């Protein structure tokens, strides 16, 4: 590749890094972006100007902060929903939410993290709010445990090696939990990741038997008790099976 070609690739990589900042925060100052991606402010300024010109970001003149532009939404609107769990699963999630009265989330594994790709918020006054796009570690939470427990053995062992475990974490006990989860067909968590929150989750397999996602019900721990989650588990497992039957 020529030097010009390498320079072009680097410019594309840097522009994508800037756009990826918006997966963690909805708004950024130019200096914050520069610090986050490790580039000089003048370089980030030029790239933001180009992205703004093309409609990928918008600058708020009052705050001098950037947010995603309409061009991003135009791109996402043209994503194929033919086999997208977030699109296909929404009616089933809405049905489950109406039945159980709690927040319903759909998670995919991305490397050693999980990401919420769809959510149906509870209509109750006190509820668990689940923002779409949120990323969480794989070592904590009901959906994380499901995405590990039902992964094929080789991949699960590989993930268990690469996860960055907290110093105080009991990995051996966690692995024992995974075996129990496989036996039960679902996982629960109470205040593991967030104080006052609880969740129960089950795996979603495609028609070909591939683990593709985790379906989760979450709510306040004082309402979503362990006993309550055990009662709800069969309905969640059934919903997961129906959703998976729609996926190739």
């Amino acid at each position: 590749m020529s030097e010009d070609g390498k320079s072009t690739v680097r410019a594309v990589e840097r522009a994508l890094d800037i756009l990826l900042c918006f997966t963690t925060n909805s708004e950024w100052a130019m200096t914050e972006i520069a610090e986050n991606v490790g580039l000089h402010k003048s370089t980030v300024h030029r790239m933001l100007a180009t992205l703004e010109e093309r409609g990928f970001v918008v600058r708020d003149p009052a705050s001098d902060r950037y947010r995603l532009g309409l061009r991003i939404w135009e791109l996402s609107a043209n994503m194929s929903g033919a086999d997208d769990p977030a699109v296909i699963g929404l009616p089933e999630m809405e049905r489950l939410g109406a039945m159980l009265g709690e927040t319903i989330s759909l998670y995919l594994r991305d490397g050693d993290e999980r990401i919420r790709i769809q959510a149906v918020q509870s209509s109750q006054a006190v509820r668990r709010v689940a923002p779409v796009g949120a990323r969480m570690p794989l070592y904590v939470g009901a959906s994380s445990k499901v995405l590990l427990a039902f992964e094929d053995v080789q991949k699960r062992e590989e993930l268990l090696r690469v996860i960055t475990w907290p110093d105080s974490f009991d990995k051996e006990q966690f692995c024992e939990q995974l075996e129990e989860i496989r036996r039960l067909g679902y996982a629960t968590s109470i205040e593991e990741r967030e104080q006052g929150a609880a969740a129960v989750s089950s795996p979603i397999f495609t028609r070909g038997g591939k683990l593709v996602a985790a379906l989760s019900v979450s709510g306040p721990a004082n309402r979503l008790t362990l006993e309550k989650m055990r009662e709800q588990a069969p309905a969640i497992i059934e919903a997961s099976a129906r959703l998976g039957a729609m996926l190739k």
Side-chain angles (χ1 to χ4, degrees), residues 208-229:
K210 179 183 177 183
L211 175 67
V212 67
L215 183 64
S216 173
V217 175
S218 60
N222 61 354
R223 188 169 68 224
L224 204 56
T225 62
L226 184 57
E227 182 181 2
K228 188 71 173 179
M229 289 190 285

Side-chain angles (χ1 to χ4, degrees), residues 138-223:
L138 273 184
Y139 59 80
V140 65
S143 293
S144 290
K145 290 185 285 191
V146 159
L147 291 171
L148 279 173
F150 292 94
E151 187 59 87
D152 68 76
V153 176
Q154 184 176 348
K155 187 63 181 179
R156 183 169 71 248
E157 291 303 318
E158 179 184 330
L159 287 166
L160 291 173
R161 286 195 299 271
V162 300
I163 290 173
T164 302
W165 304 91
D167 292 338
S168 59
F169 200 85
D170 190 334
K171 184 177 175 182
E172 184 177 345
Q173 185 181 51
F174 180 80
C175 291
E176 290 175 359
Q177 280 190 58
L178 297 184
E179 292 305 315
E180 177 69 3
I181 289 163
R182 288 176 66 85
R183 185 183 67 80
L184 293 172
Y186 67 93
T188 61
S189 65
I190 298 177
E191 297 187 321
E192 288 187 7
R193 192 183 63 83
E194 183 180 337
Q195 187 175 4
V200 54
S201 179
S202 63
I204 297 171
F205 297 97
T206 65
R207 293 197 299 271
K210 179 183 177 183
L211 175 67
V212 67
L215 183 64
S216 173
V217 175
S218 60
N222 61 354
R223 188 169 68 224

Side-chain angles (χ1 to χ4, degrees), residues 5 11-12 21 23 41-42 48 58 65 75 81 92 99 116 120 123 130 164-165 172 174 182 196 202 223 231 236 243:
V12 172
C21 288
T23 62
K41 285 187 288 187
S42 60
L48 284 171
V58 175
R65 297 178 71 83
L75 287 174
E92 186 63 38
M99 179 193 300
R116 185 182 292 115
V120 174
S123 60
T164 302
W165 304 91
E172 184 177 345
F174 180 80
R182 288 176 66 85
S202 63
R223 188 169 68 224
E231 291 175 2
I236 300 165
L243 203 162

Side-chain angles (χ1 to χ4, degrees), residues 2-229:
S2 66
E3 287 301 316
D4 287 346
K6 291 179 180 178
S7 178
T8 300
V9 171
R10 281 198 299 272
V12 172
E13 290 175 342
R14 289 170 174 176
L16 291 173
D17 284 342
I18 289 172
L19 289 175
L20 287 172
C21 288
F22 294 92
T23 62
T24 56
N25 284 310
S26 60
E27 291 188 353
W28 291 82
M30 187 266 291
T31 53
E32 293 172 339
I33 293 175
E35 182 178 350
N36 191 60
V37 299
L39 293 173
H40 196 276
K41 285 187 288 187
S42 60
T43 301
V44 173
H45 183 268
R46 289 196 302 271
M47 291 191 168
L48 284 171
T50 300
L51 290 169
E52 184 179 12
E53 182 182 345
R54 295 300 182 94
F56 288 96
V57 298
V58 175
R59 186 179 69 87
D60 182 348
S63 63
D64 201 25
R65 297 178 71 83
Y66 291 84
R67 65 179 187 275
L68 290 176
L70 292 177
R71 188 67 69 185
I72 295 292
W73 308 118
E74 290 175 14
L75 287 174
S76 65
N78 286 302
M79 286 179 63
S80 172
D83 204 30
D84 183 349
V87 175
I88 293 174
L90 186 56
E92 186 63 38
M93 293 173 67
E94 290 174 338
R95 186 198 66 80
L96 186 64
M99 179 193 300
L100 301 182
E102 301 291 357
T103 295
I104 314 298
S105 298
L106 188 65
Y107 293 93
L108 296 183
R109 182 179 64 79
D110 184 18
D112 60 353
E113 295 179 310
R114 60 178 162 116
I115 180 169
R116 185 182 292 115
I117 63 166
Q118 186 61 279
V120 174
Q121 310 294 347
S122 169
S123 60
Q124 299 203 49
V126 179
R127 63 185 183 271
R128 173 79 171 81
V129 177
V132 173
R135 287 179 175 269
M136 284 144 272
L138 273 184
Y139 59 80
V140 65
S143 293
S144 290
K145 290 185 285 191
V146 159
L147 291 171
L148 279 173
F150 292 94
E151 187 59 87
D152 68 76
V153 176
Q154 184 176 348
K155 187 63 181 179
R156 183 169 71 248
E157 291 303 318
E158 179 184 330
L159 287 166
L160 291 173
R161 286 195 299 271
V162 300
I163 290 173
T164 302
W165 304 91
D167 292 338
S168 59
F169 200 85
D170 190 334
K171 184 177 175 182
E172 184 177 345
Q173 185 181 51
F174 180 80
C175 291
E176 290 175 359
Q177 280 190 58
L178 297 184
E179 292 305 315
E180 177 69 3
I181 289 163
R182 288 176 66 85
R183 185 183 67 80
L184 293 172
Y186 67 93
T188 61
S189 65
I190 298 177
E191 297 187 321
E192 288 187 7
R193 192 183 63 83
E194 183 180 337
Q195 187 175 4
V200 54
S201 179
S202 63
I204 297 171
F205 297 97
T206 65
R207 293 197 299 271
K210 179 183 177 183
L211 175 67
V212 67
L215 183 64
S216 173
V217 175
S218 60
N222 61 354
R223 188 169 68 224
L224 204 56
T225 62
L226 184 57
E227 182 181 2
K228 188 71 173 179
M229 289 190 285

